[in-house]
Amino acid sequence: QVQLVESGGGLVQAGESLRLSCEASGSIFSINAMGWYRQAPGKQRELVAQISSRGTTNYADSVKGRFTISRDNAKNTVYLQMNSLKPEDTAVYYCNADIRRRSFSVSADYWGLGTQVTVSS
C-alpha cells in the first residue's frame, strides 16, 4: 500500500503565508513527479504546481511568483510554500505523486485526502 499524507493547511489572513507538506509512505520503489492540486467549492480540481524527480518545476499562472514547490527525495516528501495568499487561494489542496512500487512495475498516480486552506480578506 502507498499513502500520501498532507499537513500544514489552516486559516490565514490575506497576505500571510502557509507551508504545506506531503509525505509518501509504504511500498515505494521510486517517485517520479510530485505535485499539488486544489479544488475550490463549485470548481474543478486544478494543478497548482508540479516538480519532477530532478527538480524541474511547473506552476499555474495564478500562483507564479507567490508559491514555491520543493521536494526532499530522501524523505519522499513534497512541500508547497505559499506566500502572499489571497482569498481566491481558498480551496482543498491535494498532494499527488506518480509512484512506482516495484522495479519491474509501471508507475501509478496516488492522491492524498486533502488539506483545507482558507484565506480571509
Side-chain angles (χ1 to χ4, degrees):
Q1 293 288 352
V2 172
Q3 283 189 320
L4 300 182
V5 179
E6 302 105 333
S7 61
L11 171 63
V12 296
Q13 293 187 333
E16 295 184 340
S17 300
L18 279 175
R19 188 190 193 210
L20 304 183
S21 299
C22 171
E23 180 181 5
S25 62
S27 177
I28 297 172
F29 175 77
S30 65
I31 303 178
N32 300 318
M34 302 184 81
W36 291 94
Y37 289 71
R38 67 186 181 187
Q39 187 166 19
K43 295 188 177 181
Q44 290 188 331
R45 190 174 296 189
E46 63 176 358
L47 174 67
V48 176
Q50 194 173 50
I51 184 167
S52 73
S53 59
R54 297 186 179 183
T56 302
T57 58
N58 179 43
Y59 295 93
D61 288 342
S62 59
V63 307
K64 283 181 181 177
R66 300 188 297 122
F67 291 10
T68 302
I69 189 170
S70 61
R71 63 190 284 174
D72 184 333
N73 291 331
K75 297 181 179 180
N76 290 339
T77 299
V78 63
Y79 306 96
L80 185 68
Q81 178 66 43
M82 305 185 294
N83 298 330
S84 303
L85 282 161
K86 304 176 180 180
E88 52 262 44
D89 295 317
T90 296
V92 178
Y93 284 69
Y94 296 91
C95 175
N96 169 264
D98 182 35
I99 295 173
R100 180 178 297 181
R101 296 185 61 188
R102 296 177 178 82
S103 62
F104 52 84
S105 64
V106 296
S107 62
D109 255 359
Y110 291 86
W111 292 88
L113 296 179
T115 185
Q116 177 70 47
V117 172
T118 303
V119 184
S120 63
S121 57

